[in-house]
Amino acid sequence: MKPIIGITMSREHEQQQILSRAYSDAVIQAGGVPLLIPYTTSDKVIKEMSRVLDGLLLSGGGDIDPTLFDEEPLPGLGRIDPDRDEMEIALIEQFISQDKPILGICRGCQILNVALGGGMFQDLPSQKSDLLQHAQQAPRYHASHTIHIEEGTLLHRIYRKSVAKVNSFHHQAVREVLAPLRVSAVSRDGVVEAFESEQHRFVMAVQWHPEEMVRIDSDAANLFSAFVEACRQQP
């Protein structure tokens, strides 16, 4: 059977939940069955979701409440959605406890790190100097800057290279990760571009948007294939 992959959504208005089709298309292309996760903060519902789903895809979206990593809001902080933060952290905790695969993308990368105790840059341009352009002015499928991938990581085994090009659409970023996580890729300006767990079967997060690149980039397609395959191979 094909694995069922739950995908979190954004909320632009109070009663409207949205998701770019690129996420579900990428899961389908990799052999999975996407299932969109509606907003809920019910512990009972979240536990049942985590029991039914084979994997969790944390999608991109708005900013994360800085109080979750013990900071006050800076002027560059964008729109936050406390309900989404709460729901995604609860989902992460459930999937981690069950050792089920997680893939975090952009905001999903950041909320995964926060849920596991790491810190963040609320607003890269005002908090870090000598930056590359991390909010590209180019088509979403275009790979705009390079990343260095650490040898010996799962990401390196998937990409089979030490340098790759990725797209970029963010102003927040991971500041540091805590064990059992390890950084698996950085950009040339030192911004964390990917991390993964050393204690779980497949817990990985990337700062770029591979779902926008899968049709033209074999590396991005291989990343989704590896995720879906991990979801298929449940213990």
Side-chain angles (χ1 to χ4, degrees):
M1 293 180 61
K2 294 184 177 181
I4 301 173
I5 315 298
I7 311 176
T8 58
M9 295 187 283
S10 295
R11 184 168 61 180
E12 291 203 343
H13 304 289
E14 190 65 28
Q15 300 301 322
Q16 185 182 44
Q17 300 171 66
I18 62 171
L19 180 77
S20 166
R21 179 176 169 176
Y23 291 101
S24 54
D25 282 353
V27 169
I28 292 170
Q29 179 178 318
V33 176
L35 187 65
L36 306 192
I37 298 176
Y39 270 55
T40 179
T41 54
S42 165
D43 289 340
K44 184 177 295 185
V45 172
I46 287 172
K47 287 180 181 178
E48 187 63 19
M49 284 178 177
S50 69
R51 186 188 68 80
V52 171
L53 296 171
D54 298 308
L56 175 63
L57 176 54
L58 300 163
S59 67
D63 286 1
I64 294 169
D65 186 350
T67 61
L68 294 173
F69 45 97
D70 299 322
E71 290 189 7
E72 297 292 335
L74 298 178
L77 180 69
R79 181 177 179 271
I80 64 171
D81 187 340
D83 284 347
R84 183 177 183 184
D85 291 340
E86 180 181 347
M87 178 187 73
E88 289 187 337
I89 289 173
L91 281 167
I92 290 164
E93 290 172 347
Q94 286 296 318
F95 274 75
I96 288 290
S97 68
Q98 298 175 52
D99 196 14
K100 287 188 172 183
I102 300 174
L103 176 61
I105 292 177
C106 199
R107 173 203 152 89
C109 169
Q110 299 156 9
I111 194 66
L112 178 57
N113 187 50
V114 169
L116 296 178
M120 280 182 52
F121 291 107
Q122 290 184 47
D123 178 48
L124 273 175
S126 65
Q127 292 184 281
K128 192 171 178 9
S129 59
D130 300 320
L131 286 172
L132 300 175
Q133 184 187 63
H134 286 277
Q136 70 186 51
Q137 304 300 309
R140 294 187 68 83
Y141 60 80
H142 177 68
S144 68
H145 71 71
T146 58
I147 60 170
H148 174 77
I149 303 173
E150 293 294 323
E151 293 187 14
T153 61
L154 176 58
L155 184 64
H156 191 272
R157 293 197 293 274
I158 294 170
Y159 271 54
R160 299 179 183 177
K161 60 181 69 171
S162 296
V163 177
K165 287 191 71 176
V166 299
N167 55 5
S168 191
F169 303 94
H170 65 103
H171 83 104
Q172 293 196 314
V174 169
R175 188 192 294 267
E176 76 281 326
V177 302
L178 303 179
L181 304 178
R182 68 173 291 188
V183 173
S184 50
V186 296
S187 52
R188 289 188 178 180
D189 54 7
V191 171
V192 174
E193 291 285 340
F195 65 82
E196 60 193 56
S197 173
E198 296 185 292
Q199 291 183 4
H200 299 88
R201 292 188 305 114
F202 191 109
V203 172
M204 180 180 293
V206 299
Q207 186 58 70
W208 64 95
H209 281 269
E211 80 283 357
E212 300 284 357
M213 303 174 69
V214 292
R215 294 188 183 279
I216 61 170
D217 185 273
S218 61
D219 295 331
N222 288 341
L223 176 58
F224 270 91
S225 293
F227 171 56
V228 170
E229 184 58 29
C231 296
R232 193 191 315 275
Q233 298 174 351
Q234 295 295 342

